[in-house]
Amino acid sequence: MTKKIIKNGLLIDGNGGEAQKNAIVVTDETRIIYVGPEANYTATGEETVVDAQGGTILPGMIDTHVHMMMEFSPIAQRLETPFSYKFYQAAKYLETTLHAGVTSVRDALGTDLGVKKAIEEGLIAGPRLQLSINALTITGGHGDGYTVSGNVVDLLQSDYPGMPNGKCDGVEEVRKRTREMLRAGAEVIKVHATGGVLSATDHPEFTQFSLEELKVVVEEASFRKGVKVMAHAQGAEGIKNAVKAGVHSIEHGIFLDDESIELMKSNGTYLVPTLLAPVAVLETADEVGMPDSAVEKSKEVIEYHKASFTKAYESGVKIAMGTDAGVFKHGTNLRELGLMADGGMSPMETIVASTKSAATCLGWEDKVGTIELDKLADIIIVKGNPLEDIYSLADNDTVQVVIKNGKVEKNTLA
Ligand SMILES: [Zn+2]
């Protein structure tokens, strides 16, 4: 009863090899129990058939940079939003993301352990979450909402139960904040190693945190098995500091120079490009009340950003798909694949970056990211062949079936 046979589709398993015709996938309650030719599987008769109707069967997509608790909105609207309302909004964002074909995400700040538990226990629908809780940021840095008026307008509220404040300066404060994030349930530590586009009082090229401070973050994280550090890093100096300190992934990586690329390659550091972020910021600036400073900075950096991505890709830096969804509308995540293709990747490479490589970036390669025996049954079916039109994935209607953990979460084919 709980077994499913997924058939009649082109299979792209996430490993980057050739797509397979005539392969079927069989799942039990939660896992993949068979992948291969239909002729070699003996059906027991208890299976439900999911007919892909000539579409393409893929692993559930993984976005390694999202903010599930926010969607950028005008400041007046944010000021009038009751605190608890944000959790109900987030339930919507989570469902939208899952229905877009994204079955796992790494949350780059703002989501607490209760949200993850609510998904795991089936209270709400959403992708599997890897949490950073809140980001570490210096006073006056990318995550400090202080404005020159003296008012503090954080993008997301912190200092509520389960969401510690991330502001810290100096080695000992940094150590303590890292420990507080871990105590609150962080599975990855997020740190802001440079300024950014959205922060009013700094610039993407400003270096934030010293090398010593960053090393302490990495050291504290390493005391917990499997916990890595992801660094928002846009300017070259901050990128290099973060890589030298041993962070696992560089987020955005706007101003990559040759030296930082070499360092990333020798340290095995991932690049999470978030190419969609500046594109979407510019597209929706008026609608969401994006501050002028953010619009100006997006325009200023967008071409450097694209060029850095291409250079990193051509040099062989490891790349994991990530978008920064939440800075713009949730559910548009798979547009990123088209942008990566524009930057030089083949369609198959963009799929691998969004499945196997993204899973490896999260340390979850044993359980998700590919359609293989014993992996969790995170599988999507899309209309047509994305290898022929990678941009088609940007339209959520293309994603017809979403299965997470063996459970059908969306099915427009039935
Ligand atoms: Zn972000």
Side-chain angles (χ1 to χ4, degrees):
M1 183 58 206
T2 48
K3 281 189 187 167
K4 288 179 201 61
I5 298 183
I6 305 162
K7 60 190 276 187
N8 201 13
L10 181 72
L11 176 68
I12 295 177
D13 67 7
N15 281 311
E18 208 167 313
Q20 302 160 54
K21 287 173 189 156
N22 307 317
I24 62 162
V25 183
V26 185
T27 67
D28 66 8
E29 278 123 280
T30 55
R31 288 185 186 272
I32 296 166
I33 57 168
Y34 177 81
V35 190
E38 188 166 9
N40 296 357
Y41 178 75
T42 314
T44 61
E46 49 168 354
E47 298 91 343
T48 336
V49 172
V50 180
D51 186 342
Q53 297 177 22
T56 303
I57 305 162
L58 294 145
M61 296 280 168
I62 301 169
D63 189 330
T64 68
H65 191 129
V66 298
H67 302 279
M68 292 315 314
M69 284 294 293
M70 66 174 265
E71 202 167 81
F72 200 91
S73 60
I75 183 164
Q77 194 180 320
R78 273 185 270 152
L79 293 174
E80 287 174 0
T81 302
F83 174 71
S84 62
Y85 187 76
K86 288 188 261 190
F87 289 85
Y88 296 94
Q89 284 181 311
K92 199 77 212 153
Y93 305 152
L94 288 158
E95 184 181 53
T96 305
T97 303
L98 184 60
H99 287 186
V102 179
T103 50
S104 294
V105 297
R106 186 170 65 160
D107 191 274
L109 77 78
T111 304
D112 75 6
L113 198 54
V115 177
K116 181 178 162 107
K117 191 173 157 79
I119 294 171
E120 282 182 351
E121 300 197 345
L123 215 51
I124 54 173
R128 188 175 291 104
L129 290 174
Q130 182 170 97
L131 298 179
S132 63
I133 309 289
N134 207 347
L136 307 182
T137 195
I138 64 164
T139 297
H142 179 57
D144 184 351
Y146 178 89
T147 63
V148 287
S149 68
N151 292 305
V152 176
V153 190
D154 283 328
L155 266 179
L156 277 155
Q157 201 164 335
S158 49
D159 292 301
Y160 60 83
M163 186 54 61
N165 193 306
K167 258 164 252 170
C168 49
D169 302 282
V171 162
E172 287 317 311
E173 271 184 38
V174 166
R175 192 185 298 280
K176 181 157 190 176
R177 289 297 193 210
T178 307
R179 289 175 179 174
E180 284 175 351
M181 294 311 156
L182 291 166
R183 182 175 66 179
E187 300 156 275
V188 58
I189 298 294
K190 169 88 183 290
V191 62
H192 291 152
T194 69
V197 169
L198 253 51
S199 35
T201 55
D202 68 11
H203 185 275
E205 290 198 277
F206 292 180
T207 299
Q208 302 183 353
F209 285 118
S210 64
L211 180 58
E212 286 63 39
E213 288 168 316
L214 293 171
K215 279 182 176 167
V216 166
V217 178
V218 173
E219 181 189 49
E220 281 299 324
S222 75
F223 294 155
R224 305 257 181 138
K225 194 168 173 285
V227 177
K228 304 267 187 359
V229 179
M230 59 190 294
H232 161 106
Q234 304 189 336
E237 189 187 359
I239 292 170
K240 282 177 247 185
N241 281 344
V243 177
K244 283 179 192 160
V247 309
H248 184 60
S249 63
I250 293 294
E251 312 296 307
H252 319 301
I254 292 175
F255 296 100
L256 289 172
D257 58 13
D258 293 341
E259 193 189 346
S260 46
I261 285 177
E262 280 314 309
L263 271 172
M264 289 177 77
K265 277 173 64 182
S266 54
N267 289 20
T269 318
Y270 279 89
L271 172 66
V272 176
T274 72
L275 296 171
L276 184 51
V279 173
V281 163
L282 292 175
E283 276 174 4
T284 58
D286 288 344
E287 186 190 330
V288 303
M290 198 53 78
D292 291 345
S293 63
V295 173
E296 286 314 310
K297 281 189 275 182
S298 288
K299 283 184 190 160
E300 183 191 330
V301 305
I302 196 162
E303 292 307 322
Y304 289 105
H305 194 189
K306 284 188 205 167
S308 284
F309 169 77
T310 300
K311 197 154 73 167
Y313 161 68
E314 286 173 353
S315 312
V317 171
K318 293 196 280 187
I319 291 169
M321 191 272 275
T323 60
D324 221 352
V327 165
F328 49 87
K329 276 195 172 28
H330 289 284
T332 60
N333 315 63
L334 301 190
R335 275 185 78 188
E336 184 77 15
L337 283 80
L339 296 172
M340 291 193 291
D342 291 344
M345 276 187 168
S346 72
M348 185 60 98
E349 286 172 323
T350 71
I351 290 170
V352 174
S354 311
T355 54
K356 187 182 190 167
S357 302
T360 311
C361 179
L362 267 59
W364 285 357
E365 66 276 17
D366 290 343
K367 53 179 181 177
V368 294
T370 55
I371 298 183
E372 289 177 302
L373 197 62
D374 290 333
K375 292 272 173 88
L376 292 175
D378 283 11
I379 297 165
I380 63 171
I381 298 172
V382 304
K383 210 186 291 178
N385 181 354
L387 299 176
E388 283 163 10
D389 181 10
I390 198 72
Y391 304 97
S392 66
L393 294 175
D395 177 358
N396 286 349
D397 291 340
T398 304
V399 180
Q400 296 173 303
V401 175
V402 178
I403 298 170
K404 184 192 137 205
N405 250 352
K407 182 173 174 243
V408 178
E409 299 279 359
K410 174 185 182 181
N411 188 354
T412 59
L413 285 174

mmCIF file of all heavy atoms in Angstrom, residues 65-67 70 107-109 142 190 192 198 230 232 251-252 274 277 323-327, ligand 1:
data_model
loop_
_atom_site.group_PDB
_atom_site.id
_atom_site.type_symbol
_atom_site.label_atom_id
_atom_site.label_comp_id
_atom_site.label_asym_id
_atom_site.label_seq_id
_atom_site.Cartn_x
_atom_site.Cartn_y
_atom_site.Cartn_z
ATOM 1 N N HIS A 65 20.573 28.182 0.432
ATOM 2 C CA HIS A 65 20.549 29.525 1.050
ATOM 3 C C HIS A 65 19.150 30.136 0.941
ATOM 4 O O HIS A 65 18.780 30.674 -0.104
ATOM 5 C CB HIS A 65 21.578 30.440 0.383
ATOM 6 C CG HIS A 65 21.804 31.726 1.122
ATOM 7 N ND1 HIS A 65 23.055 32.182 1.474
ATOM 8 C CD2 HIS A 65 20.936 32.660 1.588
ATOM 9 C CE1 HIS A 65 22.943 33.335 2.120
ATOM 10 N NE2 HIS A 65 21.655 33.649 2.193
ATOM 11 N N VAL A 66 18.383 30.001 2.007
ATOM 12 C CA VAL A 66 17.046 30.600 2.049
ATOM 13 C C VAL A 66 16.832 31.241 3.418
ATOM 14 O O VAL A 66 17.586 31.005 4.351
ATOM 15 C CB VAL A 66 15.931 29.543 1.833
ATOM 16 C CG1 VAL A 66 16.022 28.875 0.476
ATOM 17 C CG2 VAL A 66 15.953 28.501 2.949
ATOM 18 N N HIS A 67 15.787 32.063 3.489
ATOM 19 C CA HIS A 67 15.356 32.636 4.775
ATOM 20 C C HIS A 67 13.849 32.381 4.878
ATOM 21 O O HIS A 67 13.050 33.153 4.351
ATOM 22 C CB HIS A 67 15.649 34.139 4.821
ATOM 23 C CG HIS A 67 17.094 34.454 4.625
ATOM 24 N ND1 HIS A 67 18.015 34.364 5.649
ATOM 25 C CD2 HIS A 67 17.793 34.842 3.530
ATOM 26 C CE1 HIS A 67 19.220 34.676 5.182
ATOM 27 N NE2 HIS A 67 19.115 34.972 3.894
ATOM 28 N N MET A 70 11.050 35.020 6.424
ATOM 29 C CA MET A 70 10.815 36.372 5.915
ATOM 30 C C MET A 70 10.536 36.392 4.421
ATOM 31 O O MET A 70 10.864 35.458 3.686
ATOM 32 C CB MET A 70 12.007 37.290 6.209
ATOM 33 C CG MET A 70 13.270 36.889 5.464
ATOM 34 S SD MET A 70 14.617 38.082 5.678
ATOM 35 C CE MET A 70 14.414 39.105 4.221
ATOM 36 N N ASP A 107 18.669 27.026 5.969
ATOM 37 C CA ASP A 107 18.155 28.345 6.321
ATOM 38 C C ASP A 107 19.313 29.210 6.817
ATOM 39 O O ASP A 107 19.976 28.891 7.798
ATOM 40 C CB ASP A 107 17.073 28.230 7.383
ATOM 41 C CG ASP A 107 16.349 29.544 7.582
ATOM 42 O OD1 ASP A 107 16.842 30.376 8.376
ATOM 43 O OD2 ASP A 107 15.317 29.758 6.923
ATOM 44 N N ALA A 108 19.523 30.338 6.148
ATOM 45 C CA ALA A 108 20.715 31.155 6.385
ATOM 46 C C ALA A 108 20.522 32.233 7.454
ATOM 47 O O ALA A 108 21.350 33.120 7.589
ATOM 48 C CB ALA A 108 21.185 31.783 5.080
ATOM 49 N N LEU A 109 19.490 32.189 8.171
ATOM 50 C CA LEU A 109 19.201 32.946 9.394
ATOM 51 C C LEU A 109 17.717 33.217 9.505
ATOM 52 O O LEU A 109 17.028 33.406 8.506
ATOM 53 C CB LEU A 109 19.962 34.284 9.518
ATOM 54 C CG LEU A 109 19.566 35.555 8.744
ATOM 55 C CD1 LEU A 109 18.366 36.288 9.330
ATOM 56 C CD2 LEU A 109 20.725 36.508 8.770
ATOM 57 N N HIS A 142 26.611 43.724 8.578
ATOM 58 C CA HIS A 142 25.518 43.381 7.657
ATOM 59 C C HIS A 142 24.215 42.991 8.368
ATOM 60 O O HIS A 142 23.136 43.213 7.853
ATOM 61 C CB HIS A 142 25.985 42.247 6.733
ATOM 62 C CG HIS A 142 24.947 41.787 5.767
ATOM 63 N ND1 HIS A 142 24.336 42.634 4.866
ATOM 64 C CD2 HIS A 142 24.389 40.558 5.572
ATOM 65 C CE1 HIS A 142 23.452 41.943 4.152
ATOM 66 N NE2 HIS A 142 23.462 40.697 4.553
ATOM 67 N N LYS A 190 26.101 30.510 10.722
ATOM 68 C CA LYS A 190 26.141 31.543 9.675
ATOM 69 C C LYS A 190 26.863 32.758 10.233
ATOM 70 O O LYS A 190 26.558 33.231 11.324
ATOM 71 C CB LYS A 190 24.705 31.915 9.274
ATOM 72 C CG LYS A 190 24.575 33.165 8.392
ATOM 73 C CD LYS A 190 24.685 32.826 6.910
ATOM 74 C CE LYS A 190 24.638 34.064 6.021
ATOM 75 N NZ LYS A 190 23.344 34.728 5.965
ATOM 76 N N HIS A 192 28.498 36.717 9.059
ATOM 77 C CA HIS A 192 28.598 37.770 8.038
ATOM 78 C C HIS A 192 30.037 38.282 7.992
ATOM 79 O O HIS A 192 30.452 39.039 8.848
ATOM 80 C CB HIS A 192 27.647 38.923 8.371
ATOM 81 C CG HIS A 192 26.192 38.553 8.230
ATOM 82 N ND1 HIS A 192 25.201 39.142 8.959
ATOM 83 C CD2 HIS A 192 25.582 37.652 7.425
ATOM 84 C CE1 HIS A 192 24.029 38.616 8.614
ATOM 85 N NE2 HIS A 192 24.231 37.710 7.692
ATOM 86 N N LEU A 198 21.737 44.662 1.264
ATOM 87 C CA LEU A 198 20.546 45.122 1.976
ATOM 88 C C LEU A 198 20.835 45.975 3.214
ATOM 89 O O LEU A 198 19.946 46.634 3.727
ATOM 90 C CB LEU A 198 19.703 43.899 2.391
ATOM 91 C CG LEU A 198 18.402 43.677 1.613
ATOM 92 C CD1 LEU A 198 18.657 43.695 0.113
ATOM 93 C CD2 LEU A 198 17.771 42.356 1.993
ATOM 94 N N MET A 230 28.958 28.654 7.360
ATOM 95 C CA MET A 230 28.654 29.296 6.073
ATOM 96 C C MET A 230 28.863 30.799 6.244
ATOM 97 O O MET A 230 28.389 31.388 7.222
ATOM 98 C CB MET A 230 27.220 28.989 5.617
ATOM 99 C CG MET A 230 26.131 29.405 6.553
ATOM 100 S SD MET A 230 24.448 28.775 6.132
ATOM 101 C CE MET A 230 24.084 29.617 4.584
ATOM 102 N N HIS A 232 28.465 34.608 4.740
ATOM 103 C CA HIS A 232 28.069 35.664 3.806
ATOM 104 C C HIS A 232 29.356 36.437 3.528
ATOM 105 O O HIS A 232 29.931 37.034 4.439
ATOM 106 C CB HIS A 232 27.004 36.542 4.479
ATOM 107 C CG HIS A 232 26.823 37.881 3.861
ATOM 108 N ND1 HIS A 232 25.729 38.206 3.081
ATOM 109 C CD2 HIS A 232 27.603 38.992 3.896
ATOM 110 C CE1 HIS A 232 25.840 39.456 2.673
ATOM 111 N NE2 HIS A 232 26.967 39.954 3.149
ATOM 112 N N GLU A 251 28.971 32.405 0.705
ATOM 113 C CA GLU A 251 27.654 32.775 0.203
ATOM 114 C C GLU A 251 27.779 34.059 -0.607
ATOM 115 O O GLU A 251 28.388 35.025 -0.144
ATOM 116 C CB GLU A 251 26.687 32.976 1.374
ATOM 117 C CG GLU A 251 26.711 31.845 2.406
ATOM 118 C CD GLU A 251 26.238 30.504 1.851
ATOM 119 O OE1 GLU A 251 25.129 30.469 1.288
ATOM 120 O OE2 GLU A 251 26.985 29.509 1.980
ATOM 121 N N HIS A 252 27.229 34.089 -1.783
ATOM 122 C CA HIS A 252 27.219 35.224 -2.719
ATOM 123 C C HIS A 252 28.530 35.338 -3.512
ATOM 124 O O HIS A 252 28.518 35.249 -4.723
ATOM 125 C CB HIS A 252 26.879 36.555 -2.034
ATOM 126 C CG HIS A 252 25.786 36.442 -1.016
ATOM 127 N ND1 HIS A 252 24.534 35.985 -1.340
ATOM 128 C CD2 HIS A 252 25.762 36.686 0.340
ATOM 129 C CE1 HIS A 252 23.768 35.966 -0.232
ATOM 130 N NE2 HIS A 252 24.495 36.374 0.788
ATOM 131 N N THR A 274 23.855 32.378 -5.305
ATOM 132 C CA THR A 274 22.672 33.245 -5.144
ATOM 133 C C THR A 274 22.555 34.281 -6.268
ATOM 134 O O THR A 274 22.330 35.459 -6.012
ATOM 135 C CB THR A 274 22.639 33.960 -3.767
ATOM 136 O OG1 THR A 274 23.626 34.988 -3.719
ATOM 137 C CG2 THR A 274 22.824 33.007 -2.605
ATOM 138 N N ALA A 277 19.449 36.587 -6.373
ATOM 139 C CA ALA A 277 19.195 37.649 -5.394
ATOM 140 C C ALA A 277 19.191 39.058 -5.996
ATOM 141 O O ALA A 277 18.166 39.747 -5.928
ATOM 142 C CB ALA A 277 20.163 37.522 -4.229
ATOM 143 N N THR A 323 19.840 30.460 -3.328
ATOM 144 C CA THR A 323 19.179 31.602 -3.972
ATOM 145 C C THR A 323 19.066 32.875 -3.138
ATOM 146 O O THR A 323 19.016 33.963 -3.673
ATOM 147 C CB THR A 323 17.739 31.217 -4.356
ATOM 148 O OG1 THR A 323 17.040 30.865 -3.163
ATOM 149 C CG2 THR A 323 17.706 30.071 -5.342
ATOM 150 N N ASP A 324 18.958 32.725 -1.810
ATOM 151 C CA ASP A 324 18.621 33.840 -0.920
ATOM 152 C C ASP A 324 17.103 34.130 -0.923
ATOM 153 O O ASP A 324 16.683 35.239 -0.600
ATOM 154 C CB ASP A 324 19.385 35.121 -1.262
ATOM 155 C CG ASP A 324 19.867 35.856 -0.005
ATOM 156 O OD1 ASP A 324 19.484 35.452 1.111
ATOM 157 O OD2 ASP A 324 20.617 36.839 -0.143
ATOM 158 N N ALA A 325 16.296 33.130 -1.262
ATOM 159 C CA ALA A 325 14.838 33.313 -1.229
ATOM 160 C C ALA A 325 14.409 33.798 0.156
ATOM 161 O O ALA A 325 14.886 33.308 1.174
ATOM 162 C CB ALA A 325 14.139 31.993 -1.550
ATOM 163 N N GLY A 326 13.528 34.759 0.166
ATOM 164 C CA GLY A 326 13.140 35.429 1.412
ATOM 165 C C GLY A 326 13.516 36.896 1.301
ATOM 166 O O GLY A 326 12.790 37.789 1.744
ATOM 167 N N VAL A 327 14.682 37.134 0.677
ATOM 168 C CA VAL A 327 15.033 38.505 0.289
ATOM 169 C C VAL A 327 14.074 38.911 -0.849
ATOM 170 O O VAL A 327 13.785 40.076 -1.065
ATOM 171 C CB VAL A 327 16.513 38.568 -0.146
ATOM 172 C CG1 VAL A 327 16.844 39.837 -0.892
ATOM 173 C CG2 VAL A 327 17.405 38.404 1.077
HETATM 174 ZN ZN ZN B 1 20.801 35.513 2.771
#
